Amino acid sequence: MNQVNTVKQDYEAQLMRLPNVTGVGIGERRGKTVIKVFVTQKVPESNLKPHEVVPKSIEGCETDVEEIGTVTAQI
């Protein structure tokens, strides 16, 4: 888990610059700790330029892209 925290912190700003990305966190997929990348809408990889694609893993830590829609403040 510590490695995942470190990698998330090191790459969060870079991931946040990708299209549709609204947040980065840590979660679980199939019993494994992963870096969660939250997007407004999932887009087929074929519609993105290579530098816009969320990597499948970063420094050995798997990523998981989750569509959450548009985030708005609840007042």
Side-chain angles (χ1 to χ4, degrees):
M1 176 87 163
N2 248 356
Q3 180 192 4
V4 175
N5 277 328
T6 301
V7 172
K8 176 202 168 271
Q9 288 175 347
D10 290 348
Y11 287 87
E12 186 168 5
Q14 182 179 332
L15 290 167
M16 288 296 294
R17 287 192 291 270
L18 297 176
N20 293 322
V21 174
T22 57
V24 179
I26 294 175
E28 196 174 290
R29 182 178 65 190
R30 288 183 245 127
K32 188 171 187 177
T33 303
V34 296
I35 297 171
K36 299 285 275 186
V37 182
F38 301 103
V39 297
T40 52
Q41 179 179 3
K42 278 193 169 187
V43 177
E45 219 174 284
S46 59
N47 291 1
L48 297 169
K49 296 177 180 148
H51 66 276
E52 296 175 333
V53 176
V54 174
K56 305 253 184 277
S57 67
I58 303 170
E59 291 191 25
C61 299
E62 287 184 36
T63 62
D64 183 30
V65 178
E66 185 174 327
E67 182 176 320
I68 60 169
T70 304
V71 179
T72 57
Q74 301 294 312
I75 299 175

